């Protein structure tokens, strides 16, 4: 069985930001979770009913076969009636064929439904993850989100598809066997049920322990996945700092905890299952001992004893299955709780009811007394006022951590301002739909991200309908055309995940081409801090000149060449605009900008544009 992942382990890696949902305090009741999960079966009610019918048939036939043996022994065999024996043998064979067919049908239907429920849940989760605001993704480790979509969903599926019907089937078999045994010989039946109190005790002990043990294993599996995901993502850094041994030790620790938790949980089953088997043998002995005496005293037929032996053996099989189902149920409940909690997490940024599409912009951007915090109580921007006229280029400069990227994030409404407002052409960004807003904003991020796929796909990303010619024109404007032609397969070159087979400068050029093609009214350009060689630098500069002309641009600039060309320079420090003006006017005031300029651009290692 699969184990699901819980984010609540105490040793969940260095980031500790894992408690964003699924808190114990507001845990929904198990019944609510089950009820909501069951709703996923509703569209498949027809196939589920068919599977149920198959299960009923299989259960019924399973109950009938030992009875047929009893009839065979007591009648045709005892009375020497070969024709009657043939009839019963044929019936038995048919019963087994029926069991075969109905079991097959049940399994087929259930996997059919199960895989669809699984795909539906995953698709829903993905849609929701895309709707969730960046603040959610900031707070949650990728590995944990992945485990939710992959592992938690699959334990839910295990319960919904196989588990439920099996549960009902097993209960029916149990009740059926009890009824048949009681009706054949109440005395012998009651005697063999003598083991049931022991059985109940064993089950109770097991269930209690299992709940704790399996919760532990799920926590430790989450720790392993979290550690693994983080280390793979940071492999470059681990190797660069030769920290393989330390990383290995950390991994071995969580891996070891997971091993111990699993061995602990499994050894419970290793005690429980043989215990059930032992009780089964005890019951068989009881049937043989008392049943044998009753046959000798002629108060019971031999056929009944043989049938009893078969029923007693069969009796303990559903009990074993039920105990396994119990652990599946526990896992599915825990997984379901977390999946539902994720689906219930509302996006921090939502379209207002009645939000309208943003009309075609001229490109005026206004910050009106904007304050902002990623986390309550930790303000990042304070009372920012800024008016950008259509077509202007504004450069944001300032020390690292000053809040430049944060300002850009607010214009695209990736986050909600804490106070004040951001207006585009006088319209509050909160009054329009996010989609229409972002369609008119182009973003070249600080860390240029490329998807796996071809170079052309990546350029076309923001406007999938663009033709090959348009892609090439955009690349030419972005000065990316020449280097793309130099790639092994030109525009059809496959980009590896994250774009690792391209240089940073090349990735930037492709991101610029992407923005050119999308042709937004407002462009946000978060320049990479890393310096590129002078040739690439001038290529990028030319590309930017073309990209910026004729639209409003907010450039978070690190290169003097970009800064100088800006219509307005805003110096940001500690979340405030401390100076505004042009390059020359700011230099003349000999303030923060002047110091920044001297330190950053006139220092020996600095670059001159
Ligand atoms: P940024 O706005 O990222 O600062 P910056 O863009 O000016 O810095 P750099 O030149 O290095 O790119 O960060 C401002 C503060 O906000 C900083 O203290 C980190 C914090 N912050 C978050 O808490 N969450 C986020 O997602 C980001 C982007 C920043
Ligand atoms: Mg930044």
């Amino acid at each position: 069985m699969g184990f699901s992942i819980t984010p609540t382990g105490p040793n969940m890696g260095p980031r500790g930001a894992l408690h964003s949902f699924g808190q114990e305090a507001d845990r929904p009741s198990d019944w609510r979770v089950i009820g909501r999960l069951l709703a996923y079966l509703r569209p498949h009610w027809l196939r589920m009913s068919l599977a149920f019918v198959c299960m009923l048939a299989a259960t019924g036939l399973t109950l009938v076969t030992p009875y047929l043996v009893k009839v065979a022994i007591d009648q045709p065999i005892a009375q020497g009636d070969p024709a009657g024996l043939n009839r019963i043998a044929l019936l038995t064979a048919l019963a087994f064929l029926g069991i075969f067919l109905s079991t097959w049908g049940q399994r087929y239907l259930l996997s059919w439904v199960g895989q669809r429920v699984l795909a539906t849940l995953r698709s829903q989760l993905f849609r929701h993850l895309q709707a969730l605001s960046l603040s959610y993704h900031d707070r949650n480790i990728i590995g944990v989100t992945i485990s939710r979509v992959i592992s938690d969903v699959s334990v839910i599926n295990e319960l919904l598809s196989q588990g439920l019907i099996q549960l009902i089937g097993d209960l029916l078999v149990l009740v059926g066997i009890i009824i048949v045994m009681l009706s054949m010989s109440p005395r012998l039946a009651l005697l063999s049920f003598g083991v049931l109190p022991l059985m109940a005790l064993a089950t109770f002990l097991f269930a209690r322990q299992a709940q704790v043990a399996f919760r532990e294993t799920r926590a430790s599996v989450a720790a392993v996945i979290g550690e693994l995901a983080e280390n793979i993502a940071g492999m470059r850094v681990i190797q660069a700092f030769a920290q393989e041994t330390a990383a290995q030790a950390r991994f071995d620790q969580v891996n070891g905890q997971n091993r111990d938790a699993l061995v602990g949980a499994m050894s419970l089953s290793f005690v429980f299952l043989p215990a059930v088997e032992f009780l089964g043998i005890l019951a068989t002995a009881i049937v043989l001992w008392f049943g044998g005496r009753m046959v000798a005293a002629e108060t019971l037929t031999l056929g009944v004893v043989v049938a009893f032996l078969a029923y007693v053996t069969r009796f303990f099989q559903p009990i074993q299955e039920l105990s396994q189902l119990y652990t599946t149920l526990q896992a599915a409940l825990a997984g379901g709780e977390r999946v539902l909690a994720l689906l219930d997490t509302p996006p921090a940024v939502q379209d207002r009811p009645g939000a309208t599409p943003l009309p075609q912009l001229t490109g005026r951007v206004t910050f009106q007394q904007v304050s902002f915090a990623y986390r309550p109580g930790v303000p990042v921007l304070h009372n920012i006022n800024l008016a950008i006229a259509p077509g202007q280029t504004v450069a944001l400069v300032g020390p690292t951590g000053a809040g430049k990227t944060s300002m850009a994030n607010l214009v695209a409404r990736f986050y909600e301002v804490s106070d004040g407002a951001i207006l585009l052409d006088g319209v509050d960004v909160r009054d329009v739909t996010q989609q229409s807003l972002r369609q008119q904003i182009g973003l070249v991020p600080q860390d240029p991200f490329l998807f796996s796929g071809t170079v052309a796909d990546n350029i076309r990303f923001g406007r999938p309908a663009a033709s090959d010619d348009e892609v090439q024109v955009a690349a030419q404007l972005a000065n990316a055309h020449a280097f793309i032609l130099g790639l092994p397969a030109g525009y059809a070159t496959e980009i590896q995940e994250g774009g690792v087979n391209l240089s940073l400068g090349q990735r930037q050029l492709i991101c610029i081409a992407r923005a050119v093609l999308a042709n937004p009214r407002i462009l946000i350009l978060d320049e990479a801090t890393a310096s590129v060689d002078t040739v690439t630098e001038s290529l990028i500069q030319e590309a930017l000149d073309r990209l910026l002309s004729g639209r409003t641009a907010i450039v978070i600039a690190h290169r003097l060449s970009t800064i100088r060309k800006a219509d307005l320079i805003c110096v940001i420090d500690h979340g405030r605009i401390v100076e505004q003006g042009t390059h020359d006017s700011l230099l003349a005031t000999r303030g923060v900008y002047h110091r920044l300029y001297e330190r950053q651009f006139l220092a020996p290692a600095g670059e001159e544009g």
Side-chain angles (χ1 to χ4, degrees), residues 307-488:
F308 256 70
L309 287 175
Y311 281 127
V312 161
T313 324
R314 230 154 263 197
F315 189 74
F316 289 89
Q317 192 187 326
I319 290 184
Q320 283 181 344
E321 279 173 8
L322 283 174
S323 78
Q324 265 152 18
L325 266 182
Y326 181 79
T327 61
T328 307
L329 176 72
Q330 289 300 324
L333 277 177
E337 222 171 81
R338 286 190 295 268
V339 166
L340 293 176
L342 173 53
L343 286 175
D344 289 347
T345 309
V349 177
Q350 286 184 29
D351 286 350
R352 241 177 218 177
T356 49
L358 182 65
Q360 180 68 31
L361 288 176
T362 61
R364 180 181 307 281
V365 180
T366 319
F367 280 72
Q368 231 172 40
Q369 301 183 329
V370 170
S371 297
F372 172 63
Y374 289 99
R375 277 169 306 246
V378 194
V380 169
L381 297 175
H382 311 268
N383 196 26
I384 300 270
N385 284 295
L386 177 63
I388 309 173
Q392 261 195 335
T393 296
V394 171
L396 303 183
V397 299
T400 182
K404 305 181 295 292
T405 301
S406 307
M407 281 178 70
N409 281 338
L410 292 181
V411 175
R413 204 181 166 216
F414 289 131
Y415 302 84
E416 215 77 285
V417 296
S418 326
D419 208 359
I422 290 186
L423 314 176
L424 302 183
D425 279 13
V427 180
D428 193 317
V429 291
R430 286 168 293 193
D431 290 338
V432 298
T433 61
Q434 293 172 72
Q435 203 187 357
S436 70
L437 169 69
R438 294 187 190 138
Q439 266 165 2
Q440 297 199 51
I441 295 181
L443 180 75
V444 181
Q446 196 162 10
D447 176 22
F449 187 89
L450 301 184
F451 291 91
S452 46
T454 65
V455 171
D457 292 341
N458 266 284
I459 295 176
R460 206 179 265 130
F461 189 77
R463 221 179 91 200
S467 70
D468 287 347
D469 283 343
E470 287 172 311
V471 168
Q472 285 215 11
V473 169
Q476 272 158 357
L477 283 173
N479 267 343
H481 184 67
F483 100 79
I484 292 174
L485 287 187
L487 293 174

Side-chain angles (χ1 to χ4, degrees), residues 52 55 59 163-174 318:
F52 190 77
M55 180 276 292
T59 306
L164 278 177
I165 298 260
Q166 201 192 344
L167 177 81
I168 302 172
D170 284 340
L171 288 175
L172 283 180
V173 169
L174 276 185

